[in-house]
Amino acid sequence: MKKLKQRLLCFFAAAGFVLGAAACGNASNEAGETNAAGSATETQATEEAGNEAAGAVLSVDDLPGKRIGVQLGTTGDSYVSDYESDGSGTAVERYNKGADAVQALKQGKIDCVIIDEEPALNFVEQNPGLRVLPEEFTLEDYAFVVGKGNDGLVEAVNAALGELGEEGVLDEIKKNYTGTEEEVGSYLYEKQDVERSNGTLVVGTNAEFPPYEYYENGSITGLDMDIMQAVCDKLGMEMKIEDMAFDSIIPAISTGKVDIGAAGFTVTEERKKNVNFTDTYTTSKQVIIVADAGNAGAKSSFADKLYDNFVKENRYLYLLKGLGSTLVITIFAVMIGIVLGFLIAVVRTSHDRTGGFVILNGICRLYLTIVRGTPVMIQLLIIYYVIFQSVNVGKTLVAIIAFGLNSAAYVAEIVRSGIMAVDIGQFEAGRSLGLNYKQTMSAIVLPQAIKNILPALCNEFISLLKETSISGYIGLMDLTKGGDIIRSITYEAFLPLIVVAVVYLLMVMGLSRGVSVLERRLRNNER
Amino acid sequence: MSDNTVILEVKDLCKSFDGHEVLKGISTTIRKGDVLALIGPSGCGKSTFLRSLNLLETPTSGHVLFEGTDLTDPSVDINQVREKIGMVFQQFNLFPNMTVRENIMLAPVKLHKMTDVEARKEADELLARIGLSDKADAYPASLSGGQKQRIAIVRSLAMNPDIILFDEPTSALDPEMVGEVLSVMKELATTGMTMVVVTHEMGFAREVANRVMFINDGVIQEENTPQEIFEHPKSPRLRDFLSKVL
């Protein structure tokens, strides 16, 4: 452990340098942690933050005018939005993850976080110095979500829920996750051995919401998941879980990517416009987490954190698996990018030089305009939710296609500029010797163009590698998402983020180094 | 020196760039063994005319017949014809990413004229002929302008062409290197190679060419033997031009 710690300290030095000004505040707080890695007596940054906030949030009535953090698309989000427009100056900060909101609260960037009770209790347990206000923000009913018009499924699920309720299974599952201390963990639902001839039920969830849905030992579990499994057992169906961003679940249901959403969905009028709800299966509260200035508890040591984040339950495997996906996506996307990019570039330059390929050139230009004119994240979502709406293809394949198509547009313009930069005389010399257009291009022009554009191409592939970090938006577990999963389990923002950053950095450095060696070798050729 | 075989026949060749007429109807016949020097003020169209002969410029109208084949006919495979028409450029246009030998071997091997071994042998012989055998494995960047142009000439020779077009082959050279390039061209002329040379070297035109063509304003102003052109110029434009360059 000690050796590992030393190595990590080196990481910190590098990471502090890399994060630079952007993460200045964070870095300085965390640098303090590093120095005091072994000691448990340091004061927490949250303490100051708590004291600074003039007029802390002590009840629901205090909310107007405060900075409130919520998770995007949750019930808390929709309720709090009312405060935003009432003229009291309330600022709502919407985070993709509850853990991010809690982190922001710890750093004093917001005054409170409104979130479901169960995850709130987990957050508070893991983060000394935070507490849940006794007064709840609102009560809410949880139900499963089914697509509009899929009344058959709603009825079937309701019938199953009814039976499970009568048999007491629902109560047991609830006790297993949200009951008293003795009850929790002692009513584990066992998957029934039944015939599953009625097909597969694809369940969409956002496994960052314990105890309703979360990762444990590499697989997704939780109250919602157990109920879903029990329902599937009743219906004689296979269950398939699709993990995705919370605000992607309803669109995924609408487009038929998943059959049913199970992610602690609160029944709201707004949602009813877009989806059907099943019967309520449990009731929860939205509560308010605040930073408690006077109650900064002892903090776990750095070594403990390291153990919690990466070693415990083999959590490093999330990063390792994610890294695998990131590499696979990047490598294949680069291949698509190179092949397609070169083809487009050749079509474009051929058109410029000879006037041929009029239609093809038009298509290429349209393609370039669209791809370069829209964010890659939107393209990824469109390819997943719209283009492959009804086709069941793997997410990795979708990501490869999306990033490959995106990269091709940039590669095409880089290659085109490289071809244009080769002296026209080279082209004429080739043609005057009797080589045709294709032979001249491949034997004379392209080899010279490639040499010129190598640095730019390298940059493009470095960007591509980093851009794959948005793969999590379609629920794909890449390196970034792997880190996110660890964060959602350990409620610790710093370590997983830094390690993920360092892994990306190392890959990029390796790539840059490889290309500079290649570049030098090519240059030597001309002397 | 020239026999009667017609290599190139040009009929009423016109070329415009964006409405600007550069060549206004040029007709001539080039026979085997001819060394035709094209002279004239810059911008007169002599380079455009030369480049039209292997269709690097596409004529706006008129015909170019190479050994009886009309190059302006779209059904003609121009690549096949170009194998027989060598070209040497003002800027040499050697391929910088290949060695000297590779430069010479590229076209014969790519176009299946020779095997790799044959092309290598041919390249080495050609290099020996111009005294640059020691540069076979060098890259163009390490050569002087004169060396580059001599290699460009043998590169076009490697395809065993019936005619070679020279587009101001010595204009980009330092003065002390002009001689070595001209002497290679002179040697080429003595072997009976048909050549069309756009040049500002009046000495070369007078000494080596058997015909000199003075082009002005997109037309052939005057064409004759070197002696007649240089000693008895008829048109005032030619006299004016010669008075400036001689």
Side-chain angles (χ1 to χ4, degrees), chain A residues 444-459:
Chain A
I444 297 166
V445 178
L446 283 180
Q448 295 182 49
I450 289 170
K451 199 180 302 183
N452 294 336
I453 60 178
L454 212 56
L457 270 186
C458 173
N459 278 336

Side-chain angles (χ1 to χ4, degrees), chain A residues 321-500:
Chain A
K321 257 176 76 181
L323 176 63
S325 299
T326 294
L327 288 176
V328 166
I329 294 170
T330 306
I331 290 168
F332 285 100
V334 162
M335 286 183 196
I336 294 179
I338 288 181
V339 172
L340 197 59
F342 267 80
L343 287 178
I344 295 172
V346 168
V347 168
R348 299 264 290 124
T349 41
S350 304
H351 173 79
D352 289 352
R353 290 219 169 127
T354 66
F357 297 127
V358 176
I359 296 170
L360 217 50
N361 183 57
I363 294 172
C364 288
R365 284 187 62 172
L366 183 70
Y367 175 76
L368 294 182
T369 308
I370 292 172
V371 170
R372 297 197 305 161
T374 52
V376 61
M377 192 187 93
I378 306 294
Q379 293 164 14
L380 178 69
L381 293 177
I382 288 177
I383 288 178
Y384 184 62
Y385 287 114
V386 182
I387 295 178
F388 286 115
Q389 179 179 345
S390 49
V391 194
N392 198 13
V393 289
K395 288 172 179 173
T396 309
L397 185 61
V398 169
I400 288 171
I401 292 172
F403 289 112
L405 291 181
N406 179 272
S407 184
Y410 292 93
V411 170
E413 287 302 271
I414 292 170
V415 173
R416 192 170 76 95
S417 72
I419 292 174
M420 291 308 210
V422 174
D423 181 23
I424 184 86
Q426 292 291 313
F427 183 79
E428 290 182 343
R431 294 307 302 273
S432 74
L433 283 167
L435 302 181
N436 63 27
Y437 186 87
K438 227 172 81 189
Q439 291 167 324
T440 310
M441 269 298 180
S442 65
I444 297 166
V445 178
L446 283 180
Q448 295 182 49
I450 289 170
K451 199 180 302 183
N452 294 336
I453 60 178
L454 212 56
L457 270 186
C458 173
N459 278 336
E460 164 56 24
F461 296 139
I462 287 174
S463 316
L464 176 65
L465 173 69
K466 291 181 294 182
E467 271 170 6
T468 59
S469 63
I470 60 168
S471 302
Y473 272 89
I474 57 168
L476 200 158
M477 197 173 93
D478 71 326
L479 179 57
T480 304
K481 176 88 173 177
D484 286 349
I485 290 172
I486 295 180
R487 284 203 289 154
S488 73
I489 298 172
T490 61
Y491 304 95
E492 157 75 43
F494 183 67
L495 267 181
L497 279 179
I498 290 300
V499 169
V500 166

Side-chain angles (χ1 to χ4, degrees), chain B residues 109-128:
Chain B
V109 173
K110 272 262 164 208
L111 299 169
H112 310 293
K113 295 274 152 194
M114 299 176 196
T115 65
D116 215 63
V117 179
E118 287 166 352
R120 176 174 291 265
K121 189 161 160 272
E122 171 81 9
D124 288 345
E125 279 171 16
L126 286 167
L127 286 172

Side-chain angles (χ1 to χ4, degrees), chain B residues 54-121:
Chain B
N54 66 350
L55 251 62
L56 276 189
E57 302 291 354
T58 314
T60 315
S61 68
H63 299 274
V64 179
L65 279 75
F66 175 76
E67 295 174 350
T69 313
D70 188 351
L71 308 190
T72 56
D73 179 348
S75 65
V76 168
D77 180 3
I78 187 66
N79 299 313
Q80 223 157 22
V81 178
R82 282 180 181 147
E83 293 175 10
K84 291 271 134 203
I85 307 179
M87 186 151 193
V88 174
F89 299 85
Q90 181 177 354
Q91 297 296 338
F92 330 128
N93 295 348
L94 293 182
F95 310 130
N97 52 331
M98 303 176 200
T99 63
V100 166
R101 190 189 279 116
E102 286 164 354
N103 262 275
I104 300 171
M105 289 169 61
L106 177 78
V109 173
K110 272 262 164 208
L111 299 169
H112 310 293
K113 295 274 152 194
M114 299 176 196
T115 65
D116 215 63
V117 179
E118 287 166 352
R120 176 174 291 265
K121 189 161 160 272

Side-chain angles (χ1 to χ4, degrees), chain A residues 151-173:
Chain A
D151 296 335
L153 184 58
V154 175
E155 278 167 31
V157 172
N158 283 345
L161 284 175
E163 285 177 38
L164 291 167
E166 279 167 29
E167 292 164 13
V169 177
L170 276 189
D171 280 338
E172 279 184 12
I173 294 175

Side-chain angles (χ1 to χ4, degrees), chain A residues 224-254:
Chain A
D224 289 348
M225 296 301 106
D226 279 5
I227 295 182
M228 241 24 271
Q229 185 60 60
V231 168
C232 284
D233 291 347
K234 283 279 176 210
L235 300 180
M237 294 176 88
E238 290 286 353
M239 175 162 114
K240 183 170 177 248
I241 301 175
E242 289 279 352
D243 182 23
M244 56 186 71
F246 184 77
D247 55 342
S248 296
I249 298 175
I250 287 182
I253 292 170
S254 305

